[in-house]
Amino acid sequence: MAAPIPEVVILRLPLYFRVLTLLQDETEIVSSQELGARLQITPAQIRKDLSYFGKFGIQGKGYKVNQLLGELRQILGLDRKWSVVLVGVGRLGRAILDYSTLGPHGFHITAAFDTDPRQIGKKVGQLIVQDIAVLSDAVKNQDLNIGIVAVPPSEAQEVIDRLVSCGIKAILNYAPAAPAVHSDVRVYNIDPVVALQTLTYHLKCLSTP
Amino acid sequence: MAAPIPEVVILRLPLYFRVLTLLQDETEIVSSQELGARLQITPAQIRKDLSYFGKFGIQGKGYKVNQLLGELRQILGLDRKWSVVLVGVGRLGRAILDYSTLGPHGFHITAAFDTDPRQIGKKVGQLIVQDIAVLSDAVKNQDLNIGIVAVPPSEAQEVIDRLVSCGIKAILNYAPAAPAVHSDVRVYNIDPVVALQTLTYHLKCLSTP
DNA sequence: GTGTGTGAATGTTTTCACAGCG
DNA sequence: CGCTGTGAAAACATTCACACAC
C-alpha cells in the first residue's frame, strides 16, 4: 500500500480528526454527509480521501467515530508524543511558547534556541535558551523531531539549514521567507501577512466589479 | 477582464510580492527563472500566473522589479491602508496584537472586541476592549474591512456570523474551527496544530517505509 | 432503504514547447 | 540570443453515479 497519497488529502485529514474529536462524545456513528456539512467538504471527497488508507466505514450507516479517530491517529502519527524545538525566542517565539495549545495535542516544546548571544542562558517559560551552536547535540540527546522557526527572515534560511543538517525533517516556519530544503524535508509556512494579502485581493474584487 | 482567476494563483501572488520587495534594491530586472529559484516555483508557473493579469515582462529580459511590484500592489489591493478588527483578546489575541508585524504592510488593528465582560473596558496595547454588542457601530464608523478572530473554538462560529452580519467580508481565523460562511465572504484559517499534524504524517512515512 | 467504496467522467492546475519580441 | 506570453498537452484533483454491503 505504498501508493502516493496526494498532499491535499493529507491537509484535510487533520480537519477530519478535529471534527471527529468534537463529535466523539456526542454520537457513535457519523456519515460522510454529516462530516462534510461541518467542514464544507463534499461527502464524496471525504469518502475518497479515507479510501486511500482503507475501508473504515459501515455500509448503509457511516463511520464509527471512535474507530475512525483511531485510524486517523495512526495514519497521522498522532499515537505518540512529538518533541519540538523552538528556534528564535524574540517576541514571536515567546508568543508561541506562551500561547502554545500544543501540549494537549501531543506536541511538546522541549528545547529553545537563539542566535542572539544576549538571549542565551535566559529562561523563557520552563526552558533555558541555548546557543544554536549546540543544537546538534540537543537534537540527538533529546530526540527532537520537529523544528519551529521564529527568527527574522534574514536568518531563516541559515537556521533551517542547520536544523536540517541536525536531522530534523519537519519544520513549521513562521519567518516570512520561502526557504529551500532538500525534498525529504517538509516545511510548512505560516505567515499572517501573506494570508491578509490574499484576503485584500478578494476585497478589492468585491469593490470593483 | 472578469475571468475567474484560480485561487491557487492568488495564494502565490503575495509570495512574488515579498520576494520582489527584497529584490528591489538589489536589481532592476528579474527573470521568472530567478524568481522561481527563490520560491521553489517553476518559471512557467510564474509566467502563467502573471499572465492572468496582463503582460508585465520585457521579452528577452525579464520583469522590471519596481514595475511588477506596482502591478502586484494594485492587483492585491495593497495600494491602500486596511483597517483590521481583532475579536478575542485572550492570550492568543494579545500575542497577535503585541507581535503584529502588520503595520509596515499597511494593515492596522484599529479596534478590539471580546465577548467576556471581564475583558471589556480593559486596555490592550493602544486599544480599549469593547463589547461585541457594539461591533456593528464600530464597523460602520471606523470603516473596518477585515476581522481577525482569536476566540475559543466554541465561540468562533458565532463571532464570525456577527462579523459577517456587520458587513465584514474577509476574516483571518485563528480559532481551531472550520466555520461556515456565505460564499462572498473569505475566511483564511491559521491553525498551527493542523500544520503540525500534517508534518507528523510525513515523519511517520519516513520512519515506516 | 441508506451510505460506503470506487472506477469512470469531469474539471482544474501545472507543465511543455514554441512563436514572437526586444 | 534570451526570455516572455500562451495555446495545447499532461498531470492531478474532484465529483459523479452506481454496485454492493448492512
Side-chain angles (χ1 to χ4, degrees):
Chain A
M1 236 179 244
I5 318 280
E7 186 63 19
V8 268
V9 173
I10 307 308
L11 292 168
R12 282 189 294 262
L13 296 184
L15 304 180
Y16 303 158
F17 186 78
R18 203 172 49 202
V19 170
L20 289 166
T21 304
L22 293 172
L23 244 44
Q24 75 183 322
D25 35 36
E26 204 182 296
T27 177
E28 279 281 310
I29 288 193
V30 67
S31 65
S32 58
Q33 183 78 226
E34 293 173 90
L35 218 45
R38 303 223 179 196
L39 287 165
Q40 321 262 259
I41 291 175
T42 66
Q45 178 127 81
I46 293 175
R47 295 202 302 277
K48 174 72 87 173
D49 285 355
L50 295 175
S51 76
Y52 282 104
F53 301 94
K55 305 181 181 193
F56 308 129
I58 307 159
Q59 308 230 11
K61 289 279 193 174
Y63 300 87
K64 289 184 74 178
V65 174
N66 274 315
Q67 189 210 320
L68 188 51
L69 267 173
E71 300 286 359
L72 286 172
R73 197 173 287 119
Q74 208 175 315
I75 292 164
L76 290 170
L78 306 177
D79 48 0
R80 51 158 289 185
K81 296 237 181 299
W82 294 95
S83 290
V84 180
V85 50
L86 173 68
V87 184
V89 293
R91 279 194 306 175
L92 174 56
R94 277 161 209 267
I96 291 167
L97 254 184
D98 178 42
Y99 163 58
S100 170
T101 173
L102 269 41
H105 292 95
F107 298 101
H108 298 278
I109 301 181
T110 54
F113 290 83
D114 208 301
T115 50
D116 181 352
R118 288 169 303 177
Q119 297 283 6
I120 293 160
K122 279 197 182 167
K123 207 169 176 183
V124 290
Q126 317 271 32
L127 303 171
I128 300 209
V129 180
Q130 299 176 73
D131 190 328
I132 195 146
V134 301
L135 179 64
S136 170
D137 300 332
V139 169
K140 278 162 207 146
N141 299 338
Q142 295 186 249
D143 187 33
L144 301 172
N145 316 114
I146 300 170
I148 296 185
V149 174
V151 300
S154 58
E155 292 174 34
Q157 184 68 58
E158 199 189 319
V159 162
I160 287 172
D161 289 345
R162 196 145 209 156
L163 285 165
V164 171
S165 77
C166 295
I168 295 284
K169 295 255 187 287
I171 292 168
L172 184 57
N173 173 41
Y174 282 85
V181 292
H182 185 273
S183 66
D184 71 345
V185 178
R186 291 280 151 175
V187 179
Y188 191 111
N189 298 301
I190 289 187
D191 187 339
V193 171
V194 164
L196 287 169
Q197 289 174 341
T198 69
L199 290 174
T200 57
Y201 169 81
H202 295 291
L203 288 176
K204 216 215 59 184
C205 289
L206 288 174
S207 62
T208 56
Chain B
M1 231 182 257
I5 319 278
E7 185 63 20
V8 268
V9 173
I10 307 309
L11 293 168
R12 282 189 294 262
L13 296 184
L15 304 179
Y16 303 158
F17 186 78
R18 202 172 50 201
V19 170
L20 288 166
T21 304
L22 293 172
L23 244 44
Q24 76 181 321
D25 34 36
E26 204 183 295
T27 177
E28 279 281 311
I29 289 194
V30 67
S31 66
S32 59
Q33 182 78 227
E34 293 174 89
L35 218 45
R38 303 222 179 196
L39 286 164
Q40 320 262 260
I41 290 176
T42 66
Q45 177 128 82
I46 293 176
R47 295 202 302 276
K48 177 69 98 175
D49 285 354
L50 295 175
S51 77
Y52 282 104
F53 300 95
K55 304 180 182 194
F56 307 129
I58 307 159
Q59 308 231 14
K61 290 276 193 174
Y63 301 87
K64 288 185 75 177
V65 174
N66 274 315
Q67 189 210 320
L68 188 50
L69 267 173
E71 299 286 359
L72 285 172
R73 197 174 287 119
Q74 209 176 315
I75 292 165
L76 290 169
L78 306 177
D79 47 2
R80 52 157 289 185
K81 297 236 181 301
W82 294 96
S83 291
V84 181
V85 50
L86 174 67
V87 184
V89 294
R91 280 194 304 176
L92 174 57
R94 277 161 209 268
I96 291 167
L97 253 183
D98 179 42
Y99 163 57
S100 171
T101 173
L102 268 42
H105 293 94
F107 298 100
H108 297 279
I109 301 181
T110 53
F113 290 83
D114 209 301
T115 50
D116 181 352
R118 288 169 303 178
Q119 297 283 6
I120 293 160
K122 279 197 182 166
K123 207 170 178 182
V124 290
Q126 317 271 31
L127 303 171
I128 300 209
V129 180
Q130 298 177 72
D131 190 327
I132 194 144
V134 301
L135 179 65
S136 171
D137 300 333
V139 169
K140 277 162 207 147
N141 298 338
Q142 295 186 249
D143 187 35
L144 301 172
N145 316 112
I146 300 170
I148 297 185
V149 174
V151 299
S154 58
E155 292 174 32
Q157 184 67 57
E158 199 188 319
V159 162
I160 287 172
D161 288 345
R162 195 144 209 157
L163 284 165
V164 171
S165 77
C166 293
I168 295 285
K169 295 256 186 287
I171 292 168
L172 185 57
N173 174 42
Y174 281 85
V181 294
H182 185 272
S183 66
D184 71 344
V185 178
R186 292 280 151 177
V187 178
Y188 191 112
N189 298 301
I190 290 187
D191 186 338
V193 171
V194 164
L196 287 169
Q197 289 173 341
T198 68
L199 290 174
T200 55
Y201 169 80
H202 295 291
L203 287 177
K204 214 214 60 185
C205 289
L206 289 174
S207 61
T208 56

